[in-house]
Amino acid sequence: MRNQDPPRHPTHHRDHTPEHAPIRNPGTTVTTTNLTSGSPLRLITLFALPLLAGLVLQQLYSFADAVVVGRTLGMDALAAVGASGSIMFLLLGFTMGMTNGFSIPVARTFGAGDAAGVRRAVATGAALSAGAAVLLTLVGVPFSRQLLVWMATPASLLTDATTFLTVIFVGCASMIAFNFLSGIIRALGDSRTPLLFLAMSSLLNIALVIVLIRFVGMGVGGAALATVTAQLVTVFACLALIARRMPELRPHRSDWRLRREQVAESLHLGLPMGFNMSIIAIGALVLQYAINGLGAEAVAAFTAGSRVDQLAMTSFQAFGMATATFVAQNRGAAQWSRIRRGVRSTLLLVSGIAVATGLACVLWGQDMVRAFAGGDAHAQEILDNAHTFLTVNGSLYIFLGVIFPLRSALQGMGRSGVPTLSGVMELILRSGAALLLVGPLGFLGACFAAPLAWIGAAVPLG
């Protein structure tokens, strides 16, 4: 009996008043997907593919930013962008993780057929996201330069890095809004629409980077402004879609009267996910501090290698996001054995992808990094260090094949304790490697930081 689903009694979950009527979607051309029936692995894979395409697009326009900056403005400018990256990840990563957590109640209530619950979850998440955006802007803008100084950013990079970080903080509300809106659309089983919006944002971002840097001459600030502008346009597109074609996600006036229990649920899921992103980012911050001490060439190599590394991780992230939505919907429908089958199958598939992706990074990573270097005087040293970084990371991607599905499954179940412990382990090992290995081993010590963190994170999840 252990692997059988408990009996489902819909009348125990909702009554038959209009307030709790099952969700219907009349007169709309937007397709939502119920993930509570059909082959789990097939559904997760089909749901993950648009997410994967979207993440690849996101990384490609980040890749394009780096190519334009590195080839047009030089490797010091690219290093300046990289020097601000870990701070941006720390402060924005919390709110991005939090908004992902806010989408889980939307998926759960959708899986349970609770239309009013979906609307209230959307309203609650929107209000909390707006508050986080205001707070982050007020804190981030005036302290951008000081944060970089505390990070021991090389003096030659400080001005450009401050410009980039300040512009990002000014426009952080657009990034938070885009992540939240994409999350609630995915929660209804629609992973294709966010892909279309992300494709639009990516193409616009690339065009704006070229115009603002090469023709307007804005420098690294132009790269940041291009990203913010592209995402702001996409936010308006998401809002227009929801207003015209997704009535499930349009809160009524009464839904904006926030209920204590829904605020508590959203915070219970969102804060640990945001905290998990933050403690991972703190480890990255410590690592960036150690790399900054190695000089601008090491910062540039780490930035270039990280661009390729982030592109390689997109498949793990896509299947993780798909698993979280699958689990949340099936949790709402009380399909427990189905959750187990889906997670087990996804683990096997993603582990195989991890092996293939790691091999590709080892064999062809240097060729991809070469796109950033151009004719820089230190190009070969940068290429060699970046290839070392990718070889070490790629050899141990198998741990990411375990971490992403398991962490996302637990978060989809509403269990935040173990993922948080996993993040703490990741923080301890990444920071420890940065502080203890970079001194004696140099750049090679920095390369071991992420794999050690992955090993530590996988243990409590397993």
Side-chain angles (χ1 to χ4, degrees), residues 85-94 151 274-290 302 423-435 449 453:
S86 55
I87 295 176
M88 187 171 67
F89 181 35
L90 171 63
L91 298 174
L92 293 182
F94 177 83
M151 281 287 297
F275 177 69
N276 189 52
M277 289 286 287
S278 292
I279 58 181
I280 294 171
I282 291 171
L285 203 66
V286 175
L287 179 59
Q288 185 71 58
Y289 175 85
F302 185 75
V424 171
M425 293 290 291
E426 192 168 347
L427 167 64
I428 292 171
L429 289 174
R430 192 187 300 267
S431 302
L435 296 174

Side-chain angles (χ1 to χ4, degrees), residues 56-79:
V56 169
L57 279 172
Q58 198 169 28
Q59 292 304 323
L60 284 178
Y61 82 64
S62 177
F63 201 90
D65 282 354
V67 170
V68 174
V69 170
R71 286 183 170 269
T72 305
L73 303 177
M75 294 306 288
D76 276 356
L78 177 63

Side-chain angles (χ1 to χ4, degrees), residues 93-400:
F94 177 83
T95 56
M96 290 178 182
M98 186 169 63
T99 55
N100 286 334
F102 294 161
S103 70
I104 290 177
V106 179
R108 179 185 59 76
T109 50
F110 180 78
D114 183 0
V118 170
R119 297 194 309 270
R120 288 195 298 267
V122 170
T124 302
L128 294 174
S129 297
V134 171
L135 180 61
L136 186 56
T137 303
L138 293 177
V139 172
V141 172
F143 290 102
S144 293
R145 184 180 181 87
Q146 187 59 51
L147 288 170
L148 290 164
V149 170
W150 288 335
M151 281 287 297
T153 302
S156 60
L157 309 179
L158 189 58
T159 299
D160 280 346
T162 301
T163 300
F164 185 88
L165 194 59
T166 301
V167 174
I168 289 294
F169 277 128
V170 168
C172 71
S174 65
M175 299 182 182
I176 295 170
F178 176 70
N179 278 278
F180 174 71
L181 293 171
S182 297
I184 62 175
I185 293 172
R186 285 194 302 267
L188 269 59
D190 179 6
S191 58
R192 296 181 182 180
T193 300
L195 168 63
L196 295 176
F197 286 136
L198 192 54
M200 177 181 71
S201 176
S202 300
L203 293 173
L204 179 59
N205 186 82
I206 292 170
L208 287 173
V209 165
I210 294 172
V211 170
L212 294 177
I213 291 180
R214 290 196 172 182
F215 298 106
V216 180
M218 290 188 65
V220 296
L225 181 61
T227 299
V228 169
T229 303
Q231 290 201 326
L232 183 60
V233 171
T234 311
V235 166
F236 286 118
C238 286
L239 291 173
L241 173 81
I242 292 172
R244 294 180 59 188
R245 300 182 180 180
M246 302 192 79
E248 307 97 324
L249 297 178
R250 296 202 304 262
H252 298 170
R253 180 177 297 179
S254 60
D255 297 323
W256 291 103
R257 291 195 295 270
L258 304 184
R259 302 186 179 189
R260 179 179 299 178
E261 63 273 15
Q262 285 212 294
V263 172
E265 181 188 16
S266 292
L267 292 176
H268 173 72
L269 293 168
L271 289 179
M273 290 180 71
F275 177 69
N276 189 52
M277 289 286 287
S278 292
I279 58 181
I280 294 171
I282 291 171
L285 203 66
V286 175
L287 179 59
Q288 185 71 58
Y289 175 85
I291 292 172
N292 286 347
L294 298 177
E297 288 79 16
V299 176
F302 185 75
T303 302
S306 295
R307 289 290 192 272
V308 178
D309 182 57
Q310 289 162 7
L311 182 63
M313 289 187 187
T314 53
S315 57
F316 314 134
Q317 294 169 332
F319 275 94
M321 294 163 67
T323 300
T325 302
F326 170 84
V327 170
Q329 282 198 16
N330 282 276
R331 175 194 172 207
Q335 294 271 29
W336 311 115
S337 64
R338 179 178 172 78
I339 290 173
R340 288 192 290 272
R341 290 196 306 271
V343 172
R344 288 169 183 165
S345 300
T346 304
L347 272 173
L348 292 174
L349 176 61
V350 177
S351 295
I353 293 173
V355 173
T357 304
L359 184 62
C361 280
V362 172
L363 295 178
W364 301 299
Q366 189 171 24
D367 294 329
M368 289 184 278
V369 171
R370 197 181 304 275
F372 301 107
D376 192 274
H378 302 285
Q380 192 55 51
E381 179 185 354
I382 292 168
L383 287 173
D384 291 342
N385 282 338
H387 187 232
T388 300
F389 173 83
L390 290 172
T391 299
V392 174
N393 278 16
S395 301
L396 294 168
Y397 277 161
I398 185 64
F399 288 98
L400 291 179

Side-chain angles (χ1 to χ4, degrees), residues 7-18:
R8 297 175 63 191
H9 301 286
T11 55
H12 291 178
H13 295 285
R14 58 184 184 268
D15 57 38
H16 296 287
T17 64

